[in-house]
Amino acid sequence: MDGLKQRIEKAVHCQPQATVTILSSLLAVEDELGYISREAVEEVASFNRATINDVWAVVSFYPNFRTVPPCEHKVEVCWGPSCHLVGAMPVVASVLEAAGLEDEGDTPDGRLTVRYNTCLGACALAPVMSVDHHLVGRVTPEKGNALVSRVLNSQEERAG
Amino acid sequence: MAASFAEIRDQAVERWRSLTDSQTPWIRVGTALCGQAAGAEMVADAILEQLEKQGLSARVSRVGCLGLCFAEPLVDVLIPGQPRVVYGNVGLDQVPELVASHIGGGQPLADLVLGCLGDEVGDDLPDLQQHPMKVREQRIALRNAGHIDPLDIYQYIASGGYEALNRALTELTPAEVLEEVNASGLRGRGGAAFPAGTKWRFLAGSNAPDKYILCNCEEGDPGAFNDKGILESDPGTVVEGIILAGYATGANHGYIFIRHGHDGPIDRARAAVDQAYDLGLLGEDILGTDFSFDLEVALTGDSYVSGEETALMEAIEGSRAMPRYRPPFPAQVGVFGKPTNINNVKTMAYVPEIIARGGEWYAGIGHEKSTGTAILCLSGTLNYTGMVELPMGINLTEVLQEIAGGVPGGRKLSFIQTGGPLGGVLSAEAADLLLDFDIFRAAGAILGSGGIIAADEDTCVVDLTRVLIAFCQYESCGKCFPCRMGMSHMLEVLERICRLEGTSDDLALMRNIGENMQAGSLCGHGQLGFNPVASALRYFPDQFEAHIIEKRCPTGRCQVPHFSPRLSRR
Ligand SMILES: Cc1cc2nc3c(=O)[nH]c(=O)nc-3n(C[C@H](O)[C@H](O)[C@H](O)COP(=O)(O)O)c2cc1C
Ligand code: SF4
Ligand code: FES
């Protein structure tokens, strides 16, 4: 596998679309690495002939950007109004419990990130969550808990 | 030498015929966001696996949204010469039997059938067109949704796609195209309901050499999924609409703007653009004429306010999505400093049919100054949730009680929330309104982008208002303090009301904050952000009073520990 630096360069330099900007470069890095490293900020700045400060302004604005390496898995839970009305709160609570977290964030062992989402776009099948980018609709607290446990166990199996 | 449009169309029709008339069955699986959330991708994979295992042959396409999201996953089977059968709620374990019985034995699996689509209806099978969600529909923007493969431009063309563009480029002047849109009375579907023709005229009036058309699919409104739904189901109609807008206004560049991470709409929009280039429908000298137009898909990060027109331009330029001061207006100084027109996905999706059938035809549908259809996203506590396209002028109560099948479990409807988090809250009684932009506005709600969230009597309106303001707080871009501080402050007040710790001054305090936000905010987010509270107070003053004065939540739903994620974007 390429080193981190090569992966960043490739993501930034080989964007397929015609309009290349600070934001598009950052999104390309996020797709490649799952986070925006310090080196990535520098690369995006020099590629776009911008300052480090210009790039940080963008990174810090959009909450999808992380600045530390991603966890192995990511679970998102929607708290938008459609989901709220049909039981998103108990799902949030059970997902957090299964992950052993008090609030959104990463588990200390780096295995799982839990994020709140304002709308995952499948409101007709609320409550909605996503597991490693796959949407799951009509979740119950039990199902949310089971999905998180399954994700955590699958990693354990691989490691063991 | 590129093919002529007639050649392209002949090729498309030939391909369509081979799909629908050959002896090979055609299986369509709905894989829009709602389908995905119900596991449709796995169902599609299982169908392929079973076909192979059982030694059967059929074509399998992943299509968009028929609108019946409540019954996802939907599997639609067409065996030439037989009725087209749609199955609902298809589970993975039912796939082997479905494939064996219908594809293998030619016998539909009656228990799972939702209904038949098309002129022919099978014996003893229901007619899906008579389903409450379907029977009053009039599909214009959604005409192809769920029927065609969104990754195949030829299927769009075989369904009449690009006829309008071909006709416009060869028979109509730009002014004539603009006049059709004007005559249609088409109003923007992104929220403000501004007449599209008028906006196009602003741009057409500029003789700058570089002009831009932007199509807004940010769609951050929770409860709205029709923009993503259209791009996932029929991106061709949006692309064609944008090219027509470019022709009418003399613009040569366009962007479709989508939030990063929504891979379905992004991939399908990109494919529709690439394929249009391949066929000479985009790029230099389109269809051999001297009109040229370039179109690109641009992505944004997570930011609701990036859907605001000037913030969107900032995001396309790669910056923080913070709104700009106006004037100058986008038609003078827009993206990259060039004159720009911006429309919502739905607005653009109507344009090809308006050009194909004439502005007058479109103006004849709908109600007074709200011409055409409303594309509604029905969610919340309703029996039939999903996406429907209805002529304007239908009564909202009828939509909720009949088309959406009312509230499950015999409970009563309590309130509805329309037009996204900057829209309003209406009581069930006040929902006796016609679908019409102006009637909605007068009632303190916004029809806007078409999100309709229904809540039954077991839900608390004060609690929902808190969630809406929590959203507005989370998404404030932070540029101006009446909104940034106002949203935080208002959320604090609503939280304490929900904890039954509110004081008798709190309602006046919220009104005061709301007035300041309205007067002192730069963009619609702050200006309209008090709407949900104002309308909830208007229709449910007793609910607020019960929380504040009697210290009780009439539904008991505020007792649940609640959370409101905070974000500060300074
Ligand atoms: C905070 C905010 C968010 C908005 N988000 C969207 C959006 O997601 N999609 C959209 O089409 N319009 C959105 N709008 C409205 C746009 O500014 C703009 O009016 C619209 O895209 C114009 O299209 P139309 O004329 O076709 O309605 C938003 C406005 C505000 C103030
Ligand atoms: S009103 Fe709110 S969202 Fe709009 S510019 Fe001001 S702070 Fe940003
Ligand atoms: S509100 Fe939860 S998916 Fe839209």
Side-chain angles (χ1 to χ4, degrees), chain A residues 26-48:
Chain A
L26 288 169
L27 290 170
V29 173
E30 195 190 40
D31 279 344
E32 175 63 30
L33 298 187
Y35 77 111
I36 308 296
S37 66
R38 216 195 134 84
E39 301 75 42
V41 171
E42 283 160 12
E43 183 61 35
V44 170
S46 84
F47 187 70
N48 288 282

Side-chain angles (χ1 to χ4, degrees), chain A residues 78-138:
Chain A
C78 178
W79 62 282
S82 304
C83 290
H84 180 81
L85 283 173
V86 296
M89 286 308 102
V91 174
V92 169
S94 88
V95 163
L96 288 177
E97 193 196 307
L101 290 170
E102 300 266 297
D103 202 348
E104 68 176 336
D106 300 348
T107 57
D109 58 6
R111 284 158 68 196
L112 179 68
T113 301
V114 175
R115 288 264 292 150
Y116 308 140
N117 192 298
T118 50
C119 178
L120 287 161
C123 327
L125 288 160
V128 184
M129 61 186 275
S130 80
V131 181
D132 292 330
H133 298 289
H134 292 286
L135 292 177
V136 190
R138 294 205 178 112

Side-chain angles (χ1 to χ4, degrees), chain B residues 477-507:
Chain B
C477 87
K479 180 161 179 163
C480 47
F481 85 81
C483 166
R484 165 164 40 94
M485 303 291 289
M487 293 295 188
S488 296
H489 198 177
M490 191 130 65
L491 179 57
E492 265 172 44
V493 176
L494 280 163
E495 283 184 334
R496 79 173 163 251
I497 294 176
C498 286
R499 287 196 308 268
L500 308 179
E501 292 165 7
T503 68
S504 54
D505 299 333
D506 277 348
L507 295 185

Side-chain angles (χ1 to χ4, degrees), chain B residues 244-264:
Chain B
L244 284 163
Y247 181 66
T249 58
N252 295 103
H253 310 274
Y255 287 98
I256 301 176
F257 182 80
I258 314 177
R259 187 183 291 197
H260 174 256
H262 289 296
D263 294 341

Side-chain angles (χ1 to χ4, degrees), chain B residues 429-487:
Chain B
E429 296 73 39
D432 184 14
L433 304 172
L434 303 186
L435 295 180
D436 176 305
F437 294 118
D438 307 304
I439 291 176
F440 263 61
R441 182 154 309 171
I446 295 183
L447 184 51
S449 54
I452 305 257
I453 307 176
D456 67 21
E457 55 195 342
D458 287 352
T459 54
C460 173
V461 69
V462 183
D463 189 50
L464 186 82
T465 312
R466 174 186 64 75
V467 171
L468 295 171
I469 294 301
F471 175 89
C472 292
Q473 188 286 326
Y474 187 88
E475 292 293 1
S476 169
C477 87
K479 180 161 179 163
C480 47
F481 85 81
C483 166
R484 165 164 40 94
M485 303 291 289
M487 293 295 188

